[in-house]
Amino acid sequence: QLTPQDQHAGLRGVPFGTELWAVAMASDSPVHSLSRDLLRQVLTGELVDWRQLGFELGPIAVVAPAHQPTAARAARALVPGDRFASSSLRVGDLELVARQLRREPGAIAVVRVPAQGPGLGTGVRLLAIDRVPPTPAAFASGAYPYGVALQLVTTGPAAGAAQRWIGFASSPEGRELLGHALALP
């Protein structure tokens, strides 16, 4: 977010989407929601077995993004100041993530929630955090904290290439392209 000092200095921001993060499990998992504290403990490896939480799923297998910059952004959003468990399985392809979740009962995956949904297919669902679903509306209201609002920042009103980019981002083609990775307003 731009601070009042930023705005006073002439910076302007145009919102264009949210990088929204969530965790997913197999749809037949008895886990439907985790508290924020438990989410942190699961993702950082502090908790290693679902039986510690009363679920008969066996060992917790954290599946995190393979691409390091993406994993770092996800960790900053989901477990600020920490990293994902060192034992986490790094997977880059959503189809492989979904397969891992369906195959391993204790697997929980870190996923980005784009406009079209996470694209994990059948047999997989997103978990609520503190009983709040990972939706753009929940993030916008402040009820779901695991995302980053993105904006194009310019010095003064957007002009030239910045204005063309805003036009593209607002177009059906731009929304289609950006919607593969971002939750759009």
Side-chain angles (χ1 to χ4, degrees):
Q1 296 289 12
L2 293 175
T3 66
Q5 294 89 346
D6 294 334
Q7 293 171 350
H8 183 71
L11 297 180
R12 301 291 178 261
V14 177
F16 64 88
T18 302
E19 189 171 46
L20 190 63
W21 293 98
V23 290
M25 290 187 77
S27 56
D28 61 355
S29 168
V31 181
H32 294 276
S33 181
L34 291 171
S35 70
R36 291 177 192 203
D37 289 339
L38 288 178
L39 176 67
R40 176 179 286 281
Q41 292 172 25
V42 165
L43 294 180
T44 61
E46 187 177 332
L47 290 173
V48 296
D49 198 293
W50 288 107
R51 288 177 280 247
Q52 293 172 278
L53 300 175
F55 298 108
E56 295 300 321
L57 296 172
I60 295 172
V62 176
V63 180
H67 184 246
Q68 185 52 41
T70 303
R73 285 195 319 276
R76 278 194 305 274
L78 290 163
V79 291
D82 264 323
R83 295 181 182 181
F84 296 130
S86 59
S87 61
S88 64
L89 176 63
R90 300 302 176 122
V91 178
D93 180 83
L94 279 180
E95 187 175 313
L96 296 175
V97 169
R99 198 174 308 151
Q100 184 73 26
L101 293 175
R102 288 189 294 266
R103 183 176 51 231
E104 193 169 339
I108 183 168
V110 173
V111 296
R112 187 169 31 206
V113 183
Q116 293 89 0
L120 295 168
T122 59
V124 176
R125 67 176 156 70
L126 300 178
L127 298 185
I129 305 301
D130 289 330
R131 294 191 168 81
V132 178
T135 64
F139 177 76
S141 75
Y144 186 86
Y146 302 111
V148 178
L150 303 174
Q151 57 184 327
L152 176 67
V153 177
T154 59
T155 304
Q163 189 62 43
R164 288 190 299 278
W165 191 90
I166 292 167
F168 170 73
S170 302
S171 73
E173 298 82 14
R175 293 184 63 78
E176 171 70 23
L177 179 65
L178 292 172
H180 291 285
L182 304 175
L184 302 173

